[in-house]
Amino acid sequence: MKCLHLTVFPLLVPLSLFAEPATLEPVTVTSTRMERPLADTPAAVTVVDAGSKLGQPRLQLDESLNRVPGLYLQNRYNFAQGLRLSSRGFGSRAPFGVRGLRLNVDGFPETLPDGQSQLDSIDLFAVEQLTVLRGPSSLFYGNATGGVVDITTQSGKTRNDSASVSLVGGSHGLKQANVQTTGRHDQGHHALSLTALDYPGFREQSEVRKYQFTGQAGWDLADTRTVTVFLTAMDTPVAQDPGGLTRQQAHQDRRQASRFASRLNAGQQVDQQRLGLHYRDDAFANGLLNARAFISQRDFRQQLPFPGSSLIDYQRLFYGARLDYTLPFTVLTLPHRLLLGVDMDRQEDDRGRRAVSPTGNITAVTADEEQQASADGIFLQLDSHLSDRLMLTIGGRADRLRMTINDALLTDGNDSGRREFAENSYSAGLSWQVSPAHTLYTTVSSAFESPTFTELANPSGAGGFNPDLEPQTALNREVGARGLLGNRLFYEAALFRVDVEDEITPYEIGGRTFYQNAGQTRRDGLELGLEHATTDQLTLALSWTWSDFRFQEFFDTQQNLDVSGERLPGIPQHQLFAEIDWQADSGLFASVESVLDSHRYAENTNRTRVGSEWLVNVRGGKAWTLNRQTLTLFAGIDNLLDRDYYSNLRINANSDRPVENRGYFEPGPGTTYYSGITLDW
């Protein structure tokens, strides 16, 4: 089994009828902050073994995550904007990066206190496992309504000394190389990975060059105590942005950049480093103690693909600490677990903005300010076994977020401001292990999501924060199940409803994005995943997501229209993923995957309908092993059927223009090829 889906199946059938003498592989879930068996987890959780999918180019995380029901991924090829990841529709509004989800790498946050996340610093060659928790997650990490993505990189804890070299090349000038080594010596272990990417890209003005280092070194201080140091570094000297096209432009020439993207050399330059320390004690006061501290810095400069106040730069310092303690205990012979924890994060940005003429000349400094955000949270969670098979989980969290801007320019008024949000979240769930092979669960939970610094920009021009923009809050109700039918068919599904108050939605004025609160939205959905281990070599996987996400009560002031009852833009109603994966004992392997998305809309009014898309990807290769050396050759074809599609939609873009002149569309490439070689020893 190369990828084990661990979500849930809706309570449509009395699954006790299928109580056969079979059990799931024991899996421990950590994305809920408490380490516990999956069977005790009343949530939609999926675990993906990223390293087991042979022959992937490892260009973006969608290669591993597109099989997870409930997730929707866009923007694979625009490295200046970053991969856009949404869960149950949360995050779909993000013009760049990731919103609405909490991202962690080896337990350290990639999500800032204001809620913004980036994926560009993650070295995909170093990723070993991804755990996805879908649904409101403020209880576990604060300030998120969509879920949690926990990423674990390779470690040398359980490995002998090993090393590898990988080279990948493909269409549109793709070149990528990786070297890595892992190992364990006495009480110490290490894992190091270095990756270089050079990719001119499919569209004009879409080149990227990026270099990444991911490393960790750990020591066993005693039988129960360990300390691990983590270091990551990224340098992206070039990440161009081709911008969005109108529908007519996309039909005329899918490879062209937008009008000003090439003229202004739109794109970004980034470098980032992070140092982290993790101390773990498995026997601290009869419980488990985890303590983490980290510090990261990021230097950033970006030219947006339009003239005006569009040249941005910042120097960021992001640091914090996390402490959690889990105490197992017994009451009336039944086991219980209590989790207590505290999070403290701080973000300090020295940010500037400049006005740029249509010819690319800097005409004025429009912003020079210090932005600071601090987020503090305290949480607790209790798992109580009511019987051997029935467990109750309850929890609560209190968060306080403070955001300030100190304006140093003061030429066009004072943009200084301060906002403070105090939010509480709760969760309650029941999980019932009907048999060793089947678990049912139900849960209700709340969450909140604050505006980011970018989203709090004041559209009135009066300066400071937008005083009318408030956090959105969500209430999630969910039922489901997971388990094993027969001896080879794993199933997962979730049936849910999420009601959101004050949903934050984007609109544009003069090319710049601003935000407002929608009155109410409702998300009804069903997520289904199946995986069949047909033989020891052949695995079939299928996932389907149905999403009915709508505005319940919202007047779009930019369009001057009541859009109540309309679909939330950017999310297809149906998503279908299917894969056939074959790995033979001889070293031969092959895979065929298909991704089908139904139509979606580009703006709140649902006037711009984007048709359904169907992509088919194939890959294969062979591995030869001699003594301790393994040579692997592989090749793949993406978009085998050469279908026209859009890699990304810029939701609600250019709202102040006529609909036909709005640059919503970022076309994806036609049929592309790649091949590679890996030597392990």
Side-chain angles (χ1 to χ4, degrees), residues 69-316:
L71 296 189
Y72 185 58
L73 300 104
Q74 294 190 89
N75 217 21
R76 174 175 173 81
Y77 299 101
N78 187 334
F79 287 81
Q81 298 294 324
L83 186 71
R84 288 178 55 207
L85 169 63
S86 64
S87 171
R88 297 182 175 177
F90 297 105
S92 62
R93 73 172 188 269
F96 57 87
V98 179
R99 286 288 289 119
L101 291 95
R102 303 292 300 189
L103 301 179
N104 303 304
V105 178
D106 294 318
F108 300 99
E110 290 291 333
T111 302
L112 297 168
D114 72 347
Q116 183 71 46
S117 305
Q118 299 290 338
L119 293 167
D120 55 3
S121 64
I122 300 171
D123 181 358
L124 302 187
F125 282 88
V127 173
E128 186 169 71
Q129 187 179 84
L130 302 105
T131 304
V132 182
L133 167 67
R134 302 187 300 282
S137 56
S138 293
L139 175 65
F140 306 117
Y141 295 99
N143 199 9
T145 47
V148 178
V149 179
D150 262 344
I151 300 171
T152 304
T153 62
Q154 292 177 353
S155 168
K157 292 180 181 178
T158 59
R159 299 170 181 262
N160 296 322
D161 288 349
S162 64
S164 69
V165 176
S166 299
L167 300 173
V168 180
S171 300
H172 312 300
L174 171 64
K175 295 184 289 292
Q176 191 165 211
N178 171 264
V179 294
Q180 57 185 256
T181 177
T182 60
R184 183 175 183 90
H185 300 278
D186 297 326
Q187 304 304 309
H189 61 84
H190 74 277
L192 308 173
S193 176
L194 182 64
T195 301
L197 170 65
D198 185 354
Y199 182 42
F202 160 67
R203 294 177 62 194
E204 299 173 3
Q205 193 65 25
S206 61
E207 179 183 3
V208 60
R209 293 199 305 273
K210 181 162 66 170
Y211 310 95
Q212 294 173 286
F213 171 80
T214 302
Q216 61 173 275
W219 298 267
D220 295 334
L221 304 179
D223 291 341
T224 61
R225 299 196 304 274
T226 61
V227 62
T228 308
V229 178
F230 298 83
L231 176 63
T232 62
M234 175 194 66
D235 180 28
T236 307
V238 176
Q240 296 178 334
D241 183 359
L245 304 177
T246 66
R247 195 190 293 271
Q248 182 180 7
Q249 289 172 330
H251 289 170
Q252 289 173 345
D253 181 4
R254 299 179 60 80
R255 302 190 66 169
Q256 68 175 305
S258 63
R259 178 185 175 188
F260 288 106
S262 296
R263 186 182 301 179
L264 300 178
N265 191 25
Q268 62 180 228
Q269 301 87 44
V270 191
D271 71 75
Q272 176 176 309
Q273 301 84 37
R274 183 187 67 208
L275 177 65
L277 180 68
H278 177 207
Y279 172 79
R280 176 185 174 115
D281 189 338
D282 291 328
F284 181 84
N286 299 318
L288 169 62
L289 176 70
N290 282 295
R292 291 180 173 89
F294 68 94
I295 184 170
S296 68
Q297 76 86 32
R298 182 179 177 96
D299 291 335
F300 178 91
R301 180 182 175 91
Q302 180 173 32
Q303 173 62 60
L304 299 173
F306 55 83
S309 185
S310 57
L311 179 59
I312 303 167
D313 66 86
Y314 63 76
Q315 293 76 48
R316 170 175 295 153

Side-chain angles (χ1 to χ4, degrees), residues 400-403 418-422 470-471:
R400 185 179 181 186
L401 174 63
R402 295 174 295 278
M403 306 171 69
R418 178 183 177 91
R419 294 291 302 271
E420 184 170 319
F421 307 112
E470 297 293 335

Side-chain angles (χ1 to χ4, degrees), residues 109 112-113 275 293-297 316-321 344-348 373-375:
L112 297 168
L275 177 65
F294 68 94
I295 184 170
S296 68
Q297 76 86 32
R316 170 175 295 153
L317 190 64
F318 175 33
Y319 54 93
M344 296 177 292
D345 295 338
R346 184 168 175 83
Q347 168 189 353
E348 299 176 359
S374 60

